[in-house]
């Protein structure tokens, strides 16, 4: 029999605030244990709520994960848009967008791990949620690639290449256990220069 002292104590919060809290708790849980090893009960206990309260907001663990991914993807997109807006010229825009992606990944390490966990790629629905984010970012990058003679499809292929470069270097940086204070900005600048050099070399 479970002692009442061990039961979650549910504090009354406005629905929107509770939803944000649950998403924050789920972010930490998924980042630490992965999607498949995290249960709805784990999230409820960590949030200090009962499972019925959690299910009032999210019909399933998959629904919780998909909303979290959408939320994180919007944050990444906003970071890129804010960085690109004041940049002058296509080179500065591409480099600013890349730096924003890399710095977001480093400063929001948990969010990056949840978005791009390799294990989630084997689940069709989870992979689709992540692909939606990748497509959104690639669309932003494609709009910055101004190479005469390229079709829209070719621009998007190149954009996915830039996004792949950003994702793989960010992933490796985090895998090495490096953080925001480990010359991340300087490294972001180096890889941004690499991305621009590759795009500049494209000739139709």
């Amino acid at each position: 029999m479970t002692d009442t002292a061990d039961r979650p104590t549910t504090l009354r919060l406005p629905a929107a605030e509770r939803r944000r809290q649950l998403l924050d708790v789920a972010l930490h849980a998924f980042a630490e244990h992965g999607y498949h090893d995290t249960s709805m009960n784990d999230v409820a206990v960590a949030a200090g709520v009962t499972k019925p309260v959690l299910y009032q907001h999210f019909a399933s663990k998959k629904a919780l994960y998909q909303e979290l991914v959408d939320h994180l993807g919007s944050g990444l997109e906003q970071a890129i848009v804010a960085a690109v807006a004041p940049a002058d010229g296509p080179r500065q825009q591409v480099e600013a967008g890349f730096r924003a992606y890399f710095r977001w990944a480093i400063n929001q390490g948990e969010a990056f791990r949840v978005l791009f966990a390799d294990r989630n790629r084997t689940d069709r629905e989870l992979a689709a949620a992540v692909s939606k984010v990748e497509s959104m970012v690639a669309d932003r990058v494609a709009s910055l690639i101004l190479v005469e003679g390229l079709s829209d499809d070719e621009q998007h292929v190149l954009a996915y290449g830039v996004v792949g470069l950003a994702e793989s270097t960010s992933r490796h940086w985090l895998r090495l256990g490096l953080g925001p204070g480990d010359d991340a900005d300087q490294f972001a600048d180096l890889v941004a220069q690499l991305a621009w050099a590759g795009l500049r070399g494209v000739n139709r």
Side-chain angles (χ1 to χ4, degrees):
M1 183 175 179
T2 303
D3 189 272
T4 55
D6 297 327
R7 295 176 184 170
T9 301
T10 304
L11 299 176
R12 289 189 177 276
L13 293 175
E17 187 175 342
R18 174 66 73 193
R19 199 174 186 88
R20 286 194 299 271
Q21 182 227 5
L22 294 173
L23 287 172
D24 288 341
V25 171
L27 169 62
H28 295 306
F30 289 144
E32 184 174 354
H33 303 294
Y35 173 83
H36 295 288
D37 293 330
T38 300
S39 68
M40 288 292 269
N41 188 62
D42 294 332
V43 176
V45 170
V49 302
T50 62
K51 284 179 68 176
V53 169
L54 179 57
Y55 278 107
Q56 285 174 9
H57 292 273
F58 304 100
S60 65
K61 184 172 74 168
K62 191 159 289 186
L64 170 59
Y65 176 84
Q66 289 173 331
E67 182 163 332
L68 177 60
V69 166
D70 285 345
H71 175 71
L72 298 178
S74 295
L76 174 56
E77 181 185 27
Q78 289 169 14
I80 293 173
V81 170
V84 167
D88 297 322
R91 172 175 182 168
Q92 291 78 9
Q93 289 178 324
V94 169
E95 291 182 343
F98 183 90
R99 292 182 192 120
Y101 183 109
F102 187 83
R103 289 165 183 163
W104 182 90
I106 301 307
N107 287 290
Q108 307 291 330
E110 286 188 334
F112 182 83
R113 286 192 292 273
V114 168
L115 277 178
F116 301 112
D118 289 331
R119 287 182 294 177
N120 295 348
R121 304 285 180 151
T122 60
D123 185 298
R124 181 177 298 177
E125 290 185 62
L126 301 185
V130 173
S131 294
K132 179 181 174 183
V133 174
E134 291 176 328
S135 178
M136 175 180 62
V137 175
D139 286 344
R140 289 290 180 184
V141 174
S143 68
L144 305 176
I145 298 175
L146 304 176
V147 178
E148 187 175 352
L150 284 184
S151 68
D152 289 344
D153 286 342
E154 289 170 328
Q155 283 182 323
H156 274 82
V157 170
L158 291 179
Y160 271 101
V162 173
V163 173
L165 175 62
E167 180 182 332
S168 60
T169 52
S170 299
R171 186 191 301 275
H172 190 63
W173 185 271
L174 291 170
R175 188 178 293 130
L176 291 175
L178 301 174
D182 297 300
D183 296 326
D185 283 356
Q186 292 90 330
F187 185 73
D189 287 343
L190 285 176
V191 187
Q193 291 173 31
L194 174 63
W196 173 252
L199 290 174
R200 186 179 57 185
V202 175
N203 194 348
R204 200 59 163 148

